[in-house]
Amino acid sequence: EVQLLESGGGLVQPGGSLRLSCAASGFTFSDYAMTWVRQAPGKGLEWVSTISASGFSAYYADSVKGRFTFSRDNFKNTVYLQMNSLRDEDTAVYYCARRELLDYWGQGTLVTVSS
Amino acid sequence: NFMLTQPHSVSESPGKTVTISCTRSSGTIASHYVQWFQQRPGSAPTTVIYEDNQRPSGVPDRFSGSIDSSSNSASLTISGLKNEDEADYYCHSSDGTNRVFGGGTTLTVL
């Protein structure tokens, strides 16, 4: 059974940093691209970033480019989202999902950016 | 970047059929796969359709997806509506490096 478990969310001040993790199980992790999607309170879904299966390539939404870094450890079956220079508008539930097609989703972790 | 436009809301009675559209603003709808996600209140999204018209295991065949090149749009059709289908539905596609979601459609089962 495919499982994705996010962690690392919490309250952070504007300008601060946070690192999210997503631990994967139930499939051959190194064969699949992975994606982060976020959802601000009461809003729709927003694509954040996708990383290739090897980790050599990552793509970012314009809203996070230069501030967020997506990485993966194929030995630990885990992906990471390093979020720097956080803004109020980054407040959201962050979901990790498998593949660019987002065939499986985690339950999400809440990030709140507030002073 | 392109956009995917969905109706804000649709409603229909139990047992009926409803179709939710997703129109691509630029680029051809057939050039990249379309996915559809269901999100019930307070829950994470789940996939109901991937690669335009494929159903994941466990999704009932009441759910179907299609694309129409003439209108440059994709559609999600739910037949035999049940109260449990009441949720937000999002379409999703890409143009290579950008991935885009539609704004979401709230389905109300009256």
Side-chain angles (χ1 to χ4, degrees):
Chain A
E1 178 191 6
V2 172
Q3 291 194 328
L4 301 170
L5 183 61
E6 302 95 336
S7 61
L11 175 64
V12 61
Q13 292 188 338
S17 297
L18 210 57
R19 189 177 83 154
L20 306 183
S21 301
C22 172
S25 61
F27 62 100
T28 305
F29 180 73
S30 58
D31 285 349
Y32 290 89
M34 298 292 292
T35 297
W36 286 98
V37 174
R38 68 184 181 183
Q39 186 171 35
K43 302 297 184 182
L45 301 173
E46 179 188 14
W47 170 71
V48 174
S49 182
T50 294
I51 193 167
S52 64
S54 66
F56 289 155
S57 301
Y59 308 98
Y60 300 91
D62 289 343
S63 57
V64 306
K65 201 172 296 182
R67 300 188 298 123
F68 289 12
T69 302
F70 197 173
S71 61
R72 65 189 295 159
D73 184 334
N74 283 349
F75 294 103
K76 294 184 177 179
N77 288 0
T78 301
V79 295
Y80 306 96
L81 186 67
Q82 178 66 43
M83 304 186 295
N84 299 330
S85 303
L86 283 162
R87 306 166 180 166
D88 291 350
E89 56 265 34
D90 294 319
T91 294
V93 174
Y94 285 74
Y95 298 100
C96 73
R98 193 180 77 164
R99 299 179 65 188
E100 300 181 49
L101 301 182
L102 314 176
D103 56 355
Y104 289 92
W105 297 65
Q107 288 303 303
T109 186
L110 176 62
V111 172
T112 302
V113 184
S114 175
S115 55
Chain B
N1 289 355
F2 69 101
M3 294 191 303
L4 296 172
T5 301
Q6 302 178 230
H8 180 71
S9 62
V10 295
S11 59
E12 189 51 91
S13 303
K16 299 293 189 179
T17 296
V18 70
T19 297
I20 299 172
S21 63
C22 172
T23 302
R24 183 169 175 139
S25 63
S26 62
T28 56
I29 193 71
S31 62
H32 292 87
Y33 287 127
V34 176
Q35 282 63 243
W36 290 92
F37 308 104
Q38 177 192 69
Q39 187 177 33
R40 295 190 175 105
S43 297
T46 60
T47 303
V48 292
I49 294 290
Y50 69 97
E51 294 180 353
D52 297 341
N53 54 20
Q54 301 300 302
R55 262 189 328 275
S57 60
V59 173
D61 60 6
R62 302 186 296 105
F63 290 80
S64 62
S66 63
I67 61 169
D68 180 356
S69 296
S70 65
S71 60
N72 213 36
S73 66
S75 294
L76 172 68
T77 298
I78 310 170
S79 60
L81 274 171
K82 299 185 177 184
N83 290 334
E84 67 202 44
D85 298 331
E86 190 161 285
D88 291 330
Y89 291 86
Y90 296 89
C91 60
H92 166 268
S93 191
S94 74
D95 68 355
T97 57
N98 292 304
R99 283 76 177 162
V100 174
F101 286 94
T105 299
T106 298
L107 168 62
T108 301
V109 181
L110 301 169

